[in-house]
Amino acid sequence: MSEIIHLYHTNDVHSHFENWPRIAHFLQKRKNLHQETGEEILLLDIGDHVDRWHPYTEGTLGKGNVSLLNESGYQYVTIGNNEGITLPNEVLSTLYDQAEFKVLVANLYNKKRIRPKWALPYFIHTTNHGTRIALIGVTAYFHKFYENLGWYLNEPFAELQKQLKAIHNQADFVVVLSHLGIHDDERMAAEFPEVDVILGAHTHHILHQGKMVGNSLLCGAGKYGQFVGHVEIELDANQTIIHKKAQLYDTNELEEAPNEDQWVENVRNAGEKELEDVIAILPEPIENDWFQPSPLPKLLCESLKEWTNADCAFLNAGLLLEALSRGPVTKGDIHRTCPHPINPCVTELNGAELKEVILQSRDEEWPHIQLKGLGFRGTIMGMMVYEGIDFVENDEGLIKKVMINGNELQADQTYKLAIPDMFTFGRFFPQIKRTEAKEYFMPEFLRDLLAWKLGKE
């Protein structure tokens, strides 16, 4: 007698709860349908469900996300970099205390090389027909960031090889919950043909019918809950896979959940209520402008330099989404103004390198660039704001000298430059990306520095 098993998966929701009521409603209906026909159903999330840009996630430090997964009947999840490196160690250590699902993340350990009690490397799920499904979770290899937060992250392919050996002959087929990205998923399929299904995440890739690479079916459901993934696996009487297929359901085309708009508003209100603590009282508003010098970006840049004890600092005004009004300023106000999970970073450069970076930062096109990813949760870059950096121009308006704290920049001197960590990634500043001399300040976000500065002053 053959058996049909259904895997429903989400990934990279990033606390975009506007689609969640519909997803939960859809999954409940599917669960009822498959149970009526005697077919096995597994619900899985492949990481980055948590994202601290949303007040509900910020206010509950991710435990609200865990509650939503519980309520929707998820059985297995892995963590993404947003769970792993945007939460302090003590917060991640207790994040899943009330989880009613299993957390699979094979390559995460504490500093003593002991796996945390809430994380399993794999789990063997046995269906009602006796089929054994090995589920293994691995997460993206941001090892330096994990180490800064008191964790140890093993290289995921080495860990996967170890876990595949551990489950040898224990399972009828293997599913990997992979928060590694599409390119690593393709490599995984090529190097480990014993993996039957790879449920992917991290790079937000969309595979409408999946993608076969060797023996492995690769899957990916985009981001923000725009899609729900579905893998259907058919086995023969010997528990051997005879057919597997993937598809995506567009949440825009799913049946509306009852009162979904009200639910979304209620979740936001619940988060904002958790962020009502007052951190400062302003005698005057602090204005913000993305294209003209204004006091709020200047204040944030001052706090960045001061907090990190750097020689100089710069950041983009687009990091601040609103001004701050006169009167009480709450945690929620700061969060709404600066929602990004972006950490301070200090890089060491010699004077020649620093001058090159500073001059690159003055590109006239940058303020209007639309920016996505790298932790940025705003819309455009905005003008650059400097602290400890001044310019002496000639009569034609060209830069004649770069001054650091009132002294002319010296080409052979070493300087500490403080920046938002997103400038160390991507293609912004090749010189910064190449240098090894970088220190990331974690778990503080830029908004924590702004709150510290306001409270202090």
Side-chain angles (χ1 to χ4, degrees), residues 10-62:
T10 51
N11 61 272
D12 297 287
V13 171
H14 284 283
S15 296
H16 278 260
F17 300 130
E18 61 270 19
N19 291 319
W20 193 254
R22 199 170 295 194
I23 290 171
H25 182 64
F26 169 75
L27 292 175
Q28 185 58 55
K29 290 182 66 177
R30 285 283 159 162
K31 190 174 182 180
N32 295 340
L33 172 67
H34 296 314
Q35 287 176 344
E36 286 175 7
T37 58
E39 296 172 348
E40 195 82 14
I41 176 172
L42 277 67
L43 305 185
L44 312 99
D45 186 79
I46 320 301
D48 277 3
H49 193 281
V50 166
D51 194 314
R52 291 177 61 182
W53 78 271
H54 195 285
Y56 186 61
T57 300
E58 179 74 357
T60 64
L61 287 175

Side-chain angles (χ1 to χ4, degrees), residues 324-395:
L324 292 176
S325 301
R326 179 177 179 272
V329 176
T330 66
K331 287 182 178 178
D333 295 326
I334 296 294
H335 178 264
R336 189 171 55 255
T337 300
C338 191
H340 329 275
I342 291 177
N343 305 102
C345 176
V346 168
T347 181
E348 289 192 11
L349 302 168
N350 66 40
E353 295 168 332
L354 178 60
K355 184 176 182 179
E356 178 186 345
V357 166
I358 291 172
L359 293 180
Q360 286 174 349
S361 75
R362 288 172 60 86
D363 190 321
E364 293 181 355
E365 295 183 4
W366 276 34
H368 300 277
I369 291 175
Q370 292 188 351
L371 183 60
K372 291 183 179 180
L374 306 176
F376 187 72
R377 302 295 185 254
T379 54
I380 62 171
M381 180 78 76
M383 67 176 292
M384 287 295 175
V385 181
Y386 303 92
E387 183 64 22
I389 301 171
D390 292 291
F391 304 96
V392 177
E393 298 179 349
N394 61 19
D395 294 340

Side-chain angles (χ1 to χ4, degrees), residues 389-443:
I389 301 171
D390 292 291
F391 304 96
V392 177
E393 298 179 349
N394 61 19
D395 294 340
E396 286 76 36
L398 300 175
I399 293 173
K400 188 166 64 174
K401 295 179 183 178
V402 176
M403 311 296 288
I404 304 297
N405 297 316
N407 299 309
E408 185 175 357
L409 182 149
Q410 300 298 311
D412 58 353
Q413 186 173 327
T414 299
Y415 296 91
K416 290 184 177 182
L417 170 68
I419 49 175
D421 69 7
M422 70 176 184
F423 288 157
T424 69
F425 312 124
R427 300 178 181 177
F428 294 116
F429 300 103
Q431 188 63 52
I432 292 176
K433 188 175 181 180
R434 285 194 299 267
T435 183
E436 292 293 321
K438 292 192 283 278
E439 179 184 1
Y440 295 92
F441 289 74
M442 303 176 75

Side-chain angles (χ1 to χ4, degrees), residues 272-341:
E272 290 175 349
K273 188 170 181 60
E274 295 289 335
L275 298 172
E276 290 180 344
D277 291 350
V278 174
I279 60 169
I281 299 176
L282 300 183
E284 300 293 339
I286 306 180
E287 299 300 331
N288 179 50
D289 194 301
W290 292 342
F291 304 111
Q292 300 292 332
S294 59
L296 190 57
K298 183 68 173 173
L299 186 68
L300 179 59
C301 199
E302 288 174 7
S303 70
L304 176 61
K305 179 177 179 289
E306 187 176 350
W307 176 277
T308 60
N309 197 31
D311 297 306
C312 53
F314 69 76
L315 51 77
N316 56 305
L319 286 163
L320 293 156
L321 308 189
E322 298 181 5
L324 292 176
S325 301
R326 179 177 179 272
V329 176
T330 66
K331 287 182 178 178
D333 295 326
I334 296 294
H335 178 264
R336 189 171 55 255
T337 300
C338 191
H340 329 275

